[in-house]
Each structure stands twice: as structure tokens, then as C-alpha cells.
Amino acid sequence: MRNDCKLILVEGLCGTGKSTLAERLHHYLVQQGRSCCFYDEGAEGHPVSLNWHAFFRAEEYKDLLERYPNTADEIRSRAIKDDSIYLLPYRGVKEFSEQDALYAELKSRELCWTDSPIATQPEFTYLIQRHWARFVEHASHTDTVYVLEAVVFQHQIHDLLRHYQASDNQIKQHIHGIAECIAAMNPVLIYLTQPSVRDQQVWISSIRSKPNFATEQNIRFMENRKRIELSLLDTLPFPAHTIENVNLDWDDVFCKMISAMSEAEVVQLTEGLLNEASKLLVNYMYPNGDYGKSQEEECKESLERLLDFHHADFYMAKVEGDYVGFIATNWGFSTTKGQPILRIQDLYVSDDYRRHGIAQLLVRRVLKIAKLKNANRIQLDTSSVNTPARRLYESLGFEWFSEKEIYMLFLNGHD
């Protein structure tokens, strides 16, 4: 993990293991000698969650002080003011909880996670983003690494959808406002997911004895939330890693989380990296190790020709000085759309680094490049028995077109 990373965000739908794995990650970092704080989504004293915060506009706040004169000083001492808006944290405050009427009023004016929102959507977004900015300012004066779960996507998007019927673009602007605030902390976001939202919600419904999780209405809501959240990952100004938990193998997922936070980087092939690249390519072409010097030279010559061919690219994953995988791409063109098409020709990760998120890192890099070049789609073919690869592509949004026997990911609508 980068030494300047001060924020790790663990996100995903209910039942993906966010709380358990985030807490485990916290203990791991402490064992590594890092100063670290962990807050789950319901923790008291949470540095960024605005649950248990009552919302008041200026006149409403003034009226509150007048109606509770004996508690006015306590209210003033705890109120958070942003322009003409006030937030009043009330959880665990004895002076508030001992007054039934006051406590009931504060509870009825919750900003977040409420059935009856009082704030407008612009007010909601403004207050959330301002609170994150305060947190970043506070964190800038410490060396602490914060591990937080379900505070960037889950609660934000839940409220925006449930309370305000926000559009995809409004949600994107809301999340981007937070992302821009926290970028200075060099964060890493880990998004935990499972293949089927329906199966996941039915399972967690039985585990937690919450039958409403398994209703059709909730399943559709969660499917839409997942769609939105996955679409946001590639737009964030910091690393975001998707980890799929297919078999509820928590140890495997935790290992992938650790790998995702390693200082892996993606570098493009240059003439100075031909030796490293040819070693990867020869291991890809001869997985049983049945090759010699001549095969290595052939691979190097092939990569030299690739450098001279302006419509092909080769990117390598580098972890702690070692080159551990590559992705090779080439460009085509859609005459019907008048846009480029990016084809993934080859994808390889060395044995010791498989199931560590390296392949996803490589695919995400070319996905960003395709978007920057306004490509219509990315496409590839893979073996029908290569289950790990197919899961990877499908987790990233690729669709299988059986009539063409290829995977395609459309970046701006289907042909």
C-alpha cells in the first residue's frame, strides 16, 4: 500500500462482507505497524457519517433555541453551521435524550436514512460534501489511515434514489463532489460484489432474518444500485477495485483486497522494457515452460514489430519492481458508428499473481483509454472453458454474444 494512502473505502451491496472484511483489514494494517482507525457504518463517533444528525434551516434553528431555552447552550455547543443551515448531532447526548419532546423532534428531522426527508436534494448534497471536506481537513494533520465502509456509495445512493428519485447524472455529480474532496488523501476504494444480486439478497435476508431484503421491490432496487455504483468506479479520480466473491470464500476475498492495495501500476511497453515484456510473452505462449532462447528471441522480435505498428498497444502490470502480467490490444473502426473499436488480443497474469486483481487492473486501464478515445466498444474472444476470465469480463460489464462468440462492452449504447 502506498505510504501516502490515508483512506480505504470498502463498498458494495448488503451482504457482500463489507463490515467483516473492512474490520479484518484494519487489524491487518495495525499488525503492519500502521496507525489505523476503523468505523463501520453505524459506529458512534463516525467521522463522516451524518446519521443521527438533525437538519435545521436558520429560522427553524432559531425557533428551536427559543422553544428549549434550558438546553440552548448545549444545542449551540454541538450545532454544525454551514452557511444558513445547521446540523445537530444528537446520538448519545444525555441532555437531549432526557427530554422526550426534544429528542422526538430531532429524530424526526434526520438528514440521512430517514423515511421523511426534510432537506432538499441540493441541501442534502451540499451538507454531505461539506462534511467530507471537514473530515479531509482534520485527517490532513495526522498520519492515521482510515478504513471506512458503506459511506461513499451505499448510504449516499440509497438516499438519493429513495428520497429524491435522483437521476444517474445527479448521483454522479454528488459522488464526484465527495471524490474531489477526498482525492488529497490518496484513497483506495474496494468494491465487493457477488454474481447474482437476487441470490445475494435472498441469502442475506435469511441470515439476518429480514424478509424485506428478498422482496422483488428491494431486489430491483439493489440491481439498479449496483448498476449505478459499477458505472461510477471508472470515473473516480483514484484507484477503485472490484472484487467478486463467487463462493463466499472470505479468505480469498481478503487476499485480493490486500493485493488491490499493493503498489501495482500499469506501464506501457517501450523499447527499454522489451526484455521484461518478452519474458512475460514467452511464459504466456509456453505455459509449461517448454521453450528456449530462440523462442524468447522470437517473442522479443514480435514485440519490436508491435512497437512499430501504431494501431497496437501492450501494457504491463508491475508490482514492487516485478512485471507480473500484460494486456495486448489493437484498434479497429466501426464504419456504422464512425468510432474506434478496441480489441483485447491477449491478457496474461503470471501464476503467483493470479486472483490478486491484476487482470482487472489491466482491463480497467484499457477501458479508460477506450473511453478517452471515444471508442464505441471493447471486444474480445475467450475460451468457453476459461471460467475465471469469463467471470472477470462479466463482472466488468462485458456481454457475451453467442452468435458471434465474442464478449463486447459497449461504451455508448449498442450497435
Side-chain angles (χ1 to χ4, degrees), residues 29 36 42 101 109-111 128 130 160 162 213 251 269 278 292 296-297 313 324 382 389:
L29 292 174
C36 187
R109 301 187 67 92
E110 277 274 5
L111 176 69
I128 294 288
R130 284 289 301 130
L160 287 167
R162 291 278 198 208
F213 280 22
D251 289 339
L269 177 65
S278 60
E296 290 184 22
E297 286 300 320
D313 294 295
V324 301
T382 190

Side-chain angles (χ1 to χ4, degrees), residues 153 189-193 229-236 238-244 266 315 327 342 344 347 357-372 378 392-398 409:
F153 282 179
L189 188 148
I190 297 171
Y191 190 83
L192 303 176
T193 183
E229 292 172 2
L230 289 175
S231 72
L232 288 168
L233 294 177
D234 288 322
T235 69
L236 298 174
F238 46 77
H241 306 275
T242 303
I243 299 177
E244 188 167 19
V266 177
Y315 299 90
I327 189 167
L342 183 62
I344 296 176
L347 176 62
I358 300 299
Q360 184 181 106
L361 179 68
L362 289 163
V363 176
R364 286 195 180 279
R365 168 56 65 88
V366 300
L367 175 58
K368 289 185 177 181
I369 292 169
K371 288 180 177 179
L372 287 172
I378 303 176
L392 166 67
Y393 298 129
E394 289 169 9
S395 74
L396 292 171
F398 283 81
L409 175 62

Side-chain angles (χ1 to χ4, degrees), residues 257-277:
M257 290 173 67
I258 299 301
S259 175
M261 293 187 303
S262 67
E263 296 189 49
E265 59 179 319
V266 177
V267 297
Q268 188 169 8
L269 177 65
T270 63
E271 188 174 348
L273 295 175
L274 281 170
N275 288 334
E276 290 82 358

Side-chain angles (χ1 to χ4, degrees), residues 1 5 7 29 33 36 49 69 86 147 149 178-179 189 194 196 227 230 233 276 297 328 352 356 376 386 413:
M1 187 177 79
C5 173
L7 178 62
L29 292 174
C36 187
S49 173
Y86 294 80
V147 179
E149 60 102 6
I178 298 172
L189 188 148
Q194 293 174 9
S196 168
R227 174 190 65 80
L230 289 175
L233 294 177
E276 290 82 358
E297 286 300 320
D352 291 342
H356 282 59
N376 172 258
N386 192 347

Side-chain angles (χ1 to χ4, degrees), residues 182-410:
I182 64 178
M185 297 180 71
N186 299 303
V188 173
L189 188 148
I190 297 171
Y191 190 83
L192 303 176
T193 183
Q194 293 174 9
S196 168
V197 172
R198 177 177 296 277
D199 293 347
Q200 174 192 12
Q201 293 302 302
V202 170
W203 174 74
I204 199 65
S205 171
S206 64
I207 294 295
R208 297 184 182 177
S209 300
K210 293 188 175 182
N212 61 299
F213 280 22
T215 63
E216 285 299 316
Q217 181 181 14
N218 184 67
I219 290 171
R220 287 194 299 271
F221 178 82
M222 289 298 180
E223 287 174 339
N224 186 44
R225 230 192 74 191
K226 182 178 179 180
R227 174 190 65 80
I228 294 169
E229 292 172 2
L230 289 175
S231 72
L232 288 168
L233 294 177
D234 288 322
T235 69
L236 298 174
F238 46 77
H241 306 275
T242 303
I243 299 177
E244 188 167 19
N245 187 359
V246 178
N247 299 313
L248 300 181
D249 187 340
W250 307 112
D251 289 339
D252 177 62
V253 173
F254 182 71
C255 289
K256 290 180 179 178
M257 290 173 67
I258 299 301
S259 175
M261 293 187 303
S262 67
E263 296 189 49
E265 59 179 319
V266 177
V267 297
Q268 188 169 8
L269 177 65
T270 63
E271 188 174 348
L273 295 175
L274 281 170
N275 288 334
E276 290 82 358
S278 60
K279 291 176 184 176
L280 288 173
L281 183 57
V282 75
N283 278 290
Y284 169 63
M285 295 179 64
Y286 302 95
N288 295 325
D290 186 21
Y291 61 85
K293 190 67 175 178
S294 62
Q295 285 78 20
E296 290 184 22
E297 286 300 320
E298 288 174 2
C299 287
K300 187 173 182 179
E301 291 171 5
S302 176
L303 291 170
E304 287 174 340
R305 291 193 293 271
L306 182 146
L307 285 174
D308 292 331
F309 187 67
H310 300 303
H311 299 292
D313 294 295
F314 190 96
Y315 299 90
M316 294 185 290
K318 184 180 180 182
V319 178
E320 297 179 350
D322 295 325
Y323 292 89
V324 301
F326 73 81
I327 189 167
T329 64
N330 57 69
W331 290 94
F333 195 83
S334 170
T335 53
T336 60
K337 293 295 183 181
Q339 291 176 288
I341 299 170
L342 183 62
R343 176 184 173 83
I344 296 176
Q345 183 67 37
D346 299 298
L347 176 62
Y348 167 75
V349 177
S350 59
D351 290 346
D352 291 342
Y353 287 88
R354 289 181 182 175
R355 303 185 73 187
H356 282 59
I358 300 299
Q360 184 181 106
L361 179 68
L362 289 163
V363 176
R364 286 195 180 279
R365 168 56 65 88
V366 300
L367 175 58
K368 289 185 177 181
I369 292 169
K371 288 180 177 179
L372 287 172
K373 294 196 175 186
N374 195 33
N376 172 258
R377 66 181 182 267
I378 303 176
Q379 65 185 54
L380 59 98
D381 54 60
T382 190
S383 168
S384 61
V385 297
N386 192 347
T387 302
R390 296 172 77 92
R391 284 176 178 162
L392 166 67
Y393 298 129
E394 289 169 9
S395 74
L396 292 171
F398 283 81
E399 298 178 62
W400 173 250
F401 290 80
S402 56
E403 69 279 8
K404 298 180 180 181
E405 295 190 340
I406 58 173
Y407 274 105
M408 290 193 281
L409 175 62
F410 289 89

